[in-house]
Amino acid sequence: MSWRSSLILAVCFRPPVSRALPQPEKLQTNNVGKKKRPIEDLVLELVFGYRGNDCRNNVHYLNEGADIIYHTASVGIVLNLTTSCQSFYVEHSDDILCLTINQHPKFPNVVATGQVGDTGDMSATSPSIHVWDAMTKQTLSVLRCFHAGGVCSVSFSATGRLLLSVGLDLEHTVTIWKWQEGAKVASRVGHTQRIFVAEFRPDSDTHFVSVGIKHVRFWTLAGRALLSKKGVLSSIEDARMQTMLSVAFGANNLTFTGTISGDVCVWKEHILVRIVAKAHTGPVFTMYTTLRDGLIVTGGKERPSKEGGALKLWDQELKRCRAFRLETGQIIDCVRSVCRGKGKILVGTRNAEIIEVGEKNAACNILVNGHMDGPIWGLGTHPSRDVFLSAAEDGTVRLWDIPEKKMLNKVNLGHPAHTISYSPEGDMVAIGMKNGEFIILLVASLKIWGKKRDRRSPIQDIRFSPNSRYLAVGSTECAVDFYDLTLGPQLNRINCCRDIPSFVMQMDFSADSSYIQISTGAYKRLVYEVPFGRQITEQIQIDRITWATWTSVLGDEVVGIWSRNADKVDVTCACVSHSGLNIVTGDDFGMVKLFDFPSPEKFAKHKRFLGHSAHLTNVRFTNGDRFVVSAGGDDRSLFVWRCVHAPH
């Protein structure tokens, strides 16, 4: 071939050169200059939360008081009190409802936890009890049971070989297990009414007591048969059967039961012999028998006063007591769990706190904090530090420190909070409320800089623009309002986005603060000009926008995050990493999922992470993509996941 023809060929086959500008980045990345590395995995590092609102007797000491064990969502948590490090048991498939420890020296650190379940047909969705080693997190036995609805109480026998469980099924079934063999020894209808607790006598493998709505029963295991006697009141004049909430034991076959009225009933065998009137002013939710000296701890609902508190330590016969105040700052304290170690009492409260109280000096040390009522809706991560804010239905905003592993501060707003966001410099925080109000706080002083209420329905999302000039407030009134912060704290609305077809779900500003993308309840993603509120409909123009953040669950870039049965499983929240290489999502199944970003192909490959209850409300990356924080709706808990980056 001549040089002329080869030149013609070369010209003909020259690759086409586009005259168009290159497509801009989808997301402004703050790792510029560094080698960007995708995230390969998430590892559970920290959980802020404790299920105290509707469970009892579920906080215990381990290892001579060096560790404590408790639960939230479907996770068993062991917390070392010296290092504040947590470790997790994550084998449950649904929420844990009860927890107990084996006190026999032959079975150190052996724990039993019972979970929620739908059916009692022994299928995968029926409830189960897991017996496990708290130190190694090794499962020793899984007991699948007929307790439809869930397992509400578990108790080990004196030798530690037998386990007693109570169900939430209609017959409130009582079952005895040889847990090491996974074998059921005996089972029987417990009562027509709900049973709250059933416990073995501390010196027996054959005798136990169950308490519940308007009843107390004294049980004997005889071979494979369960025999029971009702509590007899007749020996005491005018005594009436009350709802019994808790149980403890004394020598010579004495049993103590805590009532809903605050009294404690004292039983000899199955006969009522004495009433300790008003042991607490409110319900006696929990009692604990100390094996080494027979002293009894009670916990109830009580207004703290000079004389009394919601926590009391009694002698072996419940005749004399010492009251402790919990120093929580609450008007009324409500104790749901008590446990006694060496010179210390461990307390779990209705308000999701776990407190250690010194017996000698009555000093209180709060070990665990959590949101007391859910859902937790709002989540805001600091622009440059590993701290984050949460805002919840309980009307509090809380500041959490990941390296310090603790809550640093909380502000009580008096109304349920729905959304929260840091300013780009991290010096201000905007909070959107359920009643339509929004508040801006100065971070340094936690003083209010400004507040406004232009809407009457919940604020769904709130965002500062990257240039710190504008605040966007999205509500269920199908509108996004803009405020110019340079005009000062009177916060006059300067414009709004109208004609949004449904309520606002998520919002993100563009990197240059000129546009905002809004995902709506009609499952449409819309883009508007800032601050004029004019809708942009030209797809070419939208495709050229670089976004400062991406939390939208809608758009071509995130098609892959929706599963095949997406009509059944809504993706509720999402967040793209600061590197722009990954997106994490939360869904109605309580799963956290990790995808590549963008994810334009349907049913994209991903990794899934379990632990939360149903309905995740929010998820965020911390600065530098070191951690992911996820917020639970039903479980009122915050999970912190460490990001494992791909090697260079």
Side-chain angles (χ1 to χ4, degrees), residues 47-52 57-61 67-72 77-79 81 86 99 326 328 334-339 345-357 364-371 398:
V47 175
F48 295 115
Y50 154 63
R51 186 163 181 163
N57 311 328
N58 60 349
V59 184
H60 292 274
Y61 280 116
D67 303 284
I68 65 167
I69 185 167
Y70 58 101
H71 64 86
T72 190
I77 303 169
V78 177
L79 170 68
L81 298 186
Q86 296 177 341
L99 177 151
L326 291 179
T328 57
C334 185
V335 171
R336 301 300 295 239
S337 178
V338 288
C339 166
I345 299 170
L346 196 58
V347 177
T349 75
R350 152 77 184 80
N351 292 340
E353 294 153 325
I354 299 176
I355 304 166
E356 192 172 56
V357 181
C364 292
N365 179 20
I366 298 182
L367 306 174
V368 172
N369 278 289
H371 280 283
R398 294 167 190 250

Side-chain angles (χ1 to χ4, degrees), residues 25-100:
E25 290 268 339
K26 276 277 167 250
L27 199 83
Q28 181 186 36
T29 57
N30 63 3
N31 293 37
V32 182
K34 295 180 189 170
K35 184 108 175 79
K36 290 197 288 187
R37 294 184 296 153
I39 295 158
E40 286 187 332
D41 206 357
L42 301 178
V43 177
L44 189 57
E45 179 101 346
L46 267 177
V47 175
F48 295 115
Y50 154 63
R51 186 163 181 163
N53 65 317
D54 59 354
C55 296
R56 58 200 72 199
N57 311 328
N58 60 349
V59 184
H60 292 274
Y61 280 116
L62 292 171
N63 294 324
E64 307 285 315
D67 303 284
I68 65 167
I69 185 167
Y70 58 101
H71 64 86
T72 190
S74 66
V75 179
I77 303 169
V78 177
L79 170 68
N80 182 278
L81 298 186
T82 312
T83 63
S84 297
C85 287
Q86 296 177 341
S87 54
F88 309 101
Y89 180 77
V90 291
E91 299 304 313
H92 277 284
S93 59
D94 211 326
D95 288 9
I96 299 173
L97 290 178
C98 56
L99 177 151
T100 191

Side-chain angles (χ1 to χ4, degrees), residues 402-530:
I402 297 173
E404 292 290 319
K405 306 180 178 66
K406 66 180 185 187
M407 184 180 90
L408 293 180
N409 217 328
K410 78 171 178 186
V411 178
N412 203 328
L413 302 167
H415 287 285
H418 258 216
T419 176
I420 193 160
S421 182
Y422 273 104
S423 65
E425 287 78 37
D427 58 339
M428 282 181 163
V429 169
I431 306 155
M433 311 293 282
K434 192 177 182 178
N435 64 3
E437 186 177 42
F438 69 91
I439 298 169
I440 298 178
L441 296 180
L442 295 169
V443 169
S445 61
L446 292 178
K447 295 268 189 298
I448 293 176
W449 181 78
K451 61 180 184 176
K452 198 72 194 288
R453 190 179 178 191
D454 286 329
R455 298 288 171 186
R456 290 287 173 266
S457 64
I459 304 302
Q460 294 284 86
D461 202 1
I462 196 161
R463 285 303 179 99
F464 289 91
S465 63
N467 63 8
S468 298
R469 179 169 182 182
Y470 300 113
L471 184 73
V473 181
S475 68
T476 51
E477 287 180 31
C478 311
V480 173
D481 299 320
F482 293 119
Y483 299 85
D484 188 334
L485 301 176
T486 60
L487 301 178
Q490 62 273 20
L491 294 168
N492 292 327
R493 180 168 50 184
I494 55 164
N495 230 320
C496 69
C497 307
R498 292 183 187 83
D499 309 324
I500 297 174
S502 181
F503 61 88
V504 173
M505 292 197 302
Q506 294 104 8
M507 307 186 302
D508 296 287
F509 273 99
S510 63
D512 62 4
S513 304
S514 301
Y515 303 98
I516 192 165
Q517 70 169 349
I518 301 161
S519 51
T520 71
Y523 288 88
K524 285 192 164 57
R525 173 183 162 230
L526 307 171
V527 176
Y528 288 82
E529 226 177 315
V530 177

